[in-house]
């Protein structure tokens, strides 16, 4: 079968060899999740939900309590493929892809900022048309950003293949199952680092470089799209939430002397009890009182009390 | 946005879009400039040595955001305030939580933080109100104070050395919350204020805006009364006697639905706004269940857009 038309140079679905499928990203699709996203690459459609950081449920899984534990579950819906095949939950393909996604995302998540917690990423394939693991990684990135989980960089992934001696970007199911090689690349978009590289079948060294270069270009294009999605969501939330005026209402401040008297009372009282190590003194200034910085607070004073001397 | 769950008709959709568009256009221009996403470079003046706060990291001498949110600058400090993220506790915050486990000498509470919070038996007032050492008997009677799935109001005490979050409930206003509804909203919608406990006298309702995004709407409890010993059988009999009147229950539901609508729209929750929304529902003769419907949702968006426009006009006029 011809995967690239020798006359026009178009692929079976009418794309050019270096053309991607249409992207679509939507944030906040699962109400109960901390973060969620729907991501489409052509007919491949994936939904991702992120729960966490939350308390570690199974303490046995926690390797290092100074870092967050990242877990991932990849599943394909029964109805996602053309033929409705029964796939048990623990099948090897899903397990492998779960692991791949987990490792890719873990490279980007700043796990050390969330000690003693776990992050669960659930990705579900709703429609499979090739490149599901790429779509899952992209969806997971969007969902993690929505959940407010700190990340080093945006991780994106894209696949590329080599058929009819042409490097092809973003393979669909038909091209994927053609038997040619299929390179999936995941990169940290701004830092230009590769976090995922998988290849089925073999390729000569020089062709591989071309194909991988094409996949990386695809990743970057996806990264700019994902960033756009985040930006829109971000703006929507921040602009609608902020009441224009409510923040600027004046502080109802106590008069300075009132404060002085109040603080004085407490300080004298505490001094009387022998709680202060050193005799107190006022610092005269334009404001009238000077609140001591945290470091100078005596150890035995309660945290909400700030004395003066 | 959760409006996908609503079935808006054509007119309502257009009206909603118009209202949301107006709300966005009313937002200060600085808001769009300050919004960043993951891996965006935050422009800073390298000469004045800045301090990098939460949500930023250093990459090749550039300050890069690690979160999606809004850049905030306080003197030298530059940090990113996230919008949709879990709650980040600060000492002294008033929070509402749910008991998920009773452990030795402590309760574990779910408070929408990255770990469960801990309320020690020793850091809360005993029901008898006497200050004394907690004994083994107290420890055995912990279930008579709070059980699993009870909703509790408490204050953040601080982080312990091992990184766990401790709470305290050393006042009569803290403690178990009963006869009401717990609502969970994104924490960024609740701003830290002087007052988080609100007694709405006209409705005989207590409203607690927990900083962690858990909001309690319940029947008003007179402080001091709830410390009555509530043990076993006696509790059931008293519960049957003084049930919540229907009127109050309706008020609770109305307020709760007002909070639901406002949080679905993504407005910052303040008492004034909640009460205003509730009163609007009464004056527009909306049934309690209709408050979650499409029409009221659109109306609320329009009302808020109008309110903000008026405020802005007033402010500009004053200048």
């Amino acid at each position: 079968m011809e995967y690239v038309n020798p006359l026009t140079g178009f692929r079976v679905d009418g794309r050019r060899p270096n053309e991607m499928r249409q992207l679509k990203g939507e944030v906040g699709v699962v109400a109960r999740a901390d973060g969620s996203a729907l991501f489409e690459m052509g007919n491949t459609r994936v939904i991702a939900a992120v729960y966490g950081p939350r308390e570690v449920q199974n303490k046995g899984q926690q390797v290092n309590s100074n870092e967050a534990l990242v877990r991932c579950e990849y599943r394909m819906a029964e109805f996602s493929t053309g033929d409705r095949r029964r796939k048990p939950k623990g099948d090897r393909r899903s397990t492998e892809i779960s692991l791949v996604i987990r490792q890719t995302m873990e490279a980007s998540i700043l796990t050390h900022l969330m000690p003693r917690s776990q992050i669960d990423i659930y990705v579900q394939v709703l429609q499979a048309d090739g490149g599901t693991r790429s779509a899952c990684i992209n969806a997971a990135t969007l969902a993690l950003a929505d959940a407010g989980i700190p990340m080093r960089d945006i991780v994106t992934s894209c696949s590329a293949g080599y058929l009819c001696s042409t490097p092809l970007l973003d393979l669909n199911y038909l091209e994927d199952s053609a038997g040619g090689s299929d390179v999936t690349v995941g990169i940290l978009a701004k830092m230009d680092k590769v976090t995922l590289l998988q290849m089925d079948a073999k390729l000569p060294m020089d062709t591989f470089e071309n194909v991988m270069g094409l996949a990386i270009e695809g990743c970057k294009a996806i990264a700019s799209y994902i960033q756009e999605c985040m930006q829109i969501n971000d703006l929507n939330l921040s602009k609608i939430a902020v009441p224009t005026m409510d923040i600027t209402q004046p502080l109802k401040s106590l008069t300075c002397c009132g404060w002085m008297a109040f603080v004085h009372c407490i300080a004298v009282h505490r001094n009387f009890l022998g709680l202060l190590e050193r005799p107190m003194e006022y610092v005269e200034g334009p404001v009238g009182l000077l609140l001591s910085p945290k470091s100078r607070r005596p150890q035995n004073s309660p945290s909400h009390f700030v004395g003066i001397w | 946005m959760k409006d996908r769950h609503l079935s808006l008709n054509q007119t309502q959709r257009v009206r909603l879009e118009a209202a949301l568009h107006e709300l966005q256009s009313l937002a200060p221009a600085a808001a769009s400039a300050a919004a960043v996403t993951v891996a965006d470079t935050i422009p800073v003046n390298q000469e004045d040595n800045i301090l990098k706060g939460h949500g930023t990291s250093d990459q090749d001498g550039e300050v890069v955001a690690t979160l999606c949110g809004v850049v905030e600058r306080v003197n030298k400090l530059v940090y990113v305030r996230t919008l949709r993220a879990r709650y980040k506790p600060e000492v002294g915050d008033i929070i509402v939580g749910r008991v998920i486990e009773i452990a030795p000498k402590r309760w574990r509470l779910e408070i929408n933080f990255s770990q469960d919070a801990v309320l020690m038996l020793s850091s809360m007032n005993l029901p008898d109100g006497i200050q004394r050492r907690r004994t083994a008997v107290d420890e055995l009677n912990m279930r008579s104070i709070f059980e699993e799935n009870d909703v509790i109001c408490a204050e953040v005490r601080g982080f312990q050395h091992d990184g766990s979050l401790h709470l305290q409930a050393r006042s009569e206003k803290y403690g178990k919350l009963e006869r009401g509804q717990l609502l969970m909203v994104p924490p960024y919608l609740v701003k830290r204020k002087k007052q988080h406990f609100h007694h709405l006298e006209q409705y005989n309702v207590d409203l607690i805006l927990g900083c962690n995004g858990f909001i309690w709407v319940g029947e008003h409890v007179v402080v001091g009364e709830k410390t009555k010993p509530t043990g076993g059988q006696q509790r059931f009999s008293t519960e049957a006697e003084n049930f919540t009147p229907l009127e109050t229950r309706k008020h609770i539901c109305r307020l709760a639905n007002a909070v639901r609508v406002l949080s679905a729209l993504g407005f910052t929750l303040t008492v004034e706004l909640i009460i205003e929304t509730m009163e609007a529902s009464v004056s527009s003769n909306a049934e309690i269940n209709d408050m979650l419907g499409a029409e009221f949702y659109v109306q609320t968006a329009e009302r808020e857009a109008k309110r903000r426009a008026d405020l802005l006009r007033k402010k500009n006029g004053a200048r």
Side-chain angles (χ1 to χ4, degrees):
Chain A
M1 188 180 164
E2 276 176 355
Y3 291 95
V4 181
N5 190 322
L7 284 173
T8 54
F10 287 131
R11 286 151 74 173
V12 274
D13 53 1
R15 285 184 288 161
R16 289 178 189 83
N18 57 357
E19 191 179 334
M20 242 179 354
R21 290 176 286 179
Q22 184 147 26
L23 300 176
K24 188 175 171 240
E26 213 177 327
V27 178
V29 287
V30 183
R32 294 289 300 171
D34 285 299
S36 58
L38 186 76
F39 200 82
E40 286 175 28
M41 294 171 85
N43 286 330
T44 302
R45 181 188 293 217
V46 170
I47 195 165
V50 170
Y51 296 85
R54 60 180 175 189
E55 183 83 17
V56 182
Q57 282 164 347
N58 188 353
K59 289 277 198 288
Q61 286 181 327
Q62 197 176 28
V63 195
N64 182 358
S65 71
N66 295 323
E67 286 185 354
L69 171 73
V70 180
R71 299 200 315 171
C72 181
E73 191 181 302
Y74 165 96
R75 281 177 89 170
M76 276 178 97
E78 302 280 312
F79 50 81
S80 62
T81 48
D83 47 343
R84 232 180 145 93
R85 211 180 303 124
R86 185 108 207 128
K87 288 200 197 76
K89 192 197 163 195
D91 73 327
R92 291 170 108 187
R93 185 174 171 276
S94 300
T95 322
E96 187 240 303
I97 297 182
S98 300
L99 186 76
V100 164
I101 298 171
R102 185 179 70 84
Q103 285 174 343
T104 313
M105 300 324 292
E106 218 173 9
S108 164
I109 298 171
L110 299 166
T111 47
H112 64 275
L113 294 179
M114 295 156 287
R116 303 150 55 97
S117 55
Q118 82 173 21
I119 298 164
D120 291 312
I121 306 167
Y122 295 98
V123 276
Q124 172 103 33
V125 179
L126 302 179
Q127 259 173 231
D129 185 30
T132 52
R133 74 188 75 192
S134 304
C136 285
I137 289 169
N138 298 333
T141 305
L142 262 181
L144 283 169
D146 183 38
I149 289 168
M151 290 191 285
R152 269 187 199 93
D153 202 345
I154 292 177
V155 202
T156 52
S157 171
C158 188
S159 64
Y162 191 74
L163 286 170
C164 302
S165 47
T166 328
L168 303 176
L169 184 64
D170 194 15
L171 303 181
N172 64 20
Y173 182 71
L174 207 66
E175 292 163 334
D176 203 8
S177 48
S181 60
D182 166 24
V183 183
T184 304
V185 182
I187 61 163
L188 295 173
K190 287 277 167 68
M191 292 159 84
D192 268 329
K193 285 183 179 165
V194 174
T195 56
L196 166 70
L197 180 58
Q198 284 191 316
M199 178 161 74
D200 306 341
K202 281 192 262 184
L203 268 184
M205 201 59 198
D206 45 343
T207 355
F208 169 73
E209 269 169 34
N210 285 339
V211 173
M212 188 177 156
L214 190 64
I216 288 177
E217 285 305 307
C219 290
K220 293 205 169 146
I222 294 172
S224 65
Y225 177 74
I226 282 187
Q227 206 148 24
E228 218 171 274
C229 286
M230 290 178 186
Q231 188 103 43
I232 290 168
N233 184 48
D234 208 24
L235 279 178
N236 277 346
L237 290 175
S238 66
K239 279 189 168 174
I240 287 178
V242 177
T244 354
M245 238 46 58
D246 293 354
I247 356 163
T248 54
Q249 59 181 238
L251 274 168
K252 279 181 201 154
S253 56
L254 282 163
T255 54
C256 209
C257 348
W259 263 106
M260 278 289 270
F262 171 66
V263 176
H264 181 226
C265 280
I266 300 177
V268 167
H269 180 60
R270 296 189 69 82
N271 206 6
F272 176 70
L273 292 171
L275 290 173
L276 295 177
E277 295 100 323
R278 36 191 162 149
M280 42 165 253
E281 62 191 50
Y282 291 112
V283 182
E284 292 295 335
V287 189
L289 80 153
L290 195 92
L291 297 179
S292 72
K294 256 188 183 170
S295 53
R296 283 174 58 198
R297 192 189 301 154
Q299 281 301 303
N300 51 7
S301 76
S303 57
H304 57 265
F305 169 74
V306 182
I308 53 158
W309 47 86
Chain B
M1 291 282 117
K2 291 172 196 157
D3 42 76
R4 76 187 70 249
H5 306 301
L6 294 163
S7 48
L8 297 162
N9 64 29
Q10 195 63 40
T11 10
Q12 284 167 339
R13 185 166 298 123
V14 172
R15 277 165 63 203
L16 182 66
E17 268 167 24
L20 291 180
H21 184 77
E22 195 182 352
L23 282 167
Q24 293 205 359
S25 64
L26 287 171
S32 49
V36 285
T37 59
V38 176
D40 268 351
T41 311
I42 301 170
V44 287
N45 193 351
Q46 291 293 345
E47 277 137 41
D48 32 298
N49 38 16
I50 51 118
L51 297 165
K52 292 185 291 293
H54 285 299
T56 60
S57 74
D58 191 20
Q59 275 169 22
D60 313 324
E62 282 186 329
V63 183
V64 173
T66 59
L67 294 166
C68 290
V70 182
V71 178
E72 301 271 344
R73 289 161 204 265
V74 181
N75 296 334
K76 279 183 177 179
L77 179 70
V78 176
Y79 69 95
V80 178
R81 178 168 56 86
T82 47
L83 295 166
R84 271 175 52 86
R86 289 216 159 197
Y87 167 62
K88 225 174 177 65
E90 281 176 27
V91 175
D93 277 356
I94 287 159
I95 54 121
V96 177
R98 194 188 279 281
V99 176
I100 52 166
E101 190 189 341
I102 299 180
K105 289 185 197 163
R106 71 198 68 195
W107 292 272
R108 286 189 190 284
L109 274 78
E110 157 65 27
I111 61 158
N112 196 27
F113 179 45
S114 66
Q115 32 175 299
D116 295 335
V118 171
L119 177 63
M120 296 291 288
L121 177 61
S122 57
S123 51
M124 69 164 296
N125 278 358
L126 291 176
D128 53 9
I130 307 166
Q131 285 288 341
R132 58 177 167 82
R133 245 187 106 84
R134 286 2 175 223
T135 59
V137 182
D138 289 327
E139 211 178 309
L140 291 173
N141 288 333
M142 275 172 70
R143 266 207 181 72
S144 68
I145 306 176
F146 303 136
E147 273 178 331
E148 283 94 347
N149 296 325
D150 277 352
V151 179
I152 284 179
C153 176
E155 188 185 297
V156 175
R157 183 171 163 218
F159 287 95
Q160 288 319 94
H161 294 298
D162 58 348
S164 60
L165 180 72
H166 278 225
L167 306 175
Q168 61 183 6
R170 288 194 184 280
S171 161
E172 292 202 328
K173 61 183 178 178
Y174 301 129
K176 182 142 84 175
L177 302 170
E178 282 170 310
R179 299 175 183 194
Q181 292 190 28
L182 175 72
L183 304 156
M184 295 170 180
V185 303
Y188 79 96
L189 297 177
V190 182
K191 294 273 179 287
R192 290 188 175 87
K193 289 264 174 69
K194 264 190 185 162
Q195 202 49 261
H196 285 268
F197 291 91
H198 301 281
H199 173 206
L200 312 178
E201 277 170 34
Q202 65 270 45
Y203 310 123
N204 193 28
V205 166
D206 273 339
L207 179 69
I208 303 175
L209 300 171
C211 291
N212 58 340
F214 285 20
I215 289 170
W216 176 260
V217 191
E219 192 194 359
H220 176 59
V221 185
V222 181
V223 173
E225 237 175 55
K226 65 179 170 188
T227 50
K228 274 192 300 190
T230 48
Q233 303 235 312
Q234 188 197 347
R235 191 174 57 188
F236 290 110
S237 58
T238 51
E239 223 160 341
E241 277 165 29
N242 45 30
F243 63 93
T244 314
L246 179 65
E247 203 56 24
T248 314
R249 276 185 278 164
K250 279 184 177 167
H251 286 319
I252 290 172
C253 291
R254 249 180 219 282
L255 280 166
N257 280 354
V259 173
R260 285 193 183 102
V261 170
L262 291 171
S263 72
L265 277 161
F267 296 145
T268 306
L269 295 170
T270 55
V271 203
E272 297 81 33
L273 189 57
I274 294 168
I275 294 176
E276 195 186 301
T277 311
M278 178 193 168
E279 275 167 0
S281 80
V282 176
S283 60
S284 65
N285 281 331
E287 289 292 316
I288 293 171
N289 55 338
D290 288 343
M291 287 177 74
L292 299 177
E295 181 59 29
F296 191 72
Y297 185 87
V298 177
Q299 276 176 10
T300 312
E302 282 175 338
R303 197 172 335 102
E304 178 68 5
K306 194 168 170 295
R307 192 181 72 93
R308 288 190 194 175
D310 286 348
L311 274 172
L312 197 68
R313 209 171 298 128
K314 223 176 273 174
K315 194 188 169 194
N316 290 342
R319 272 191 191 153

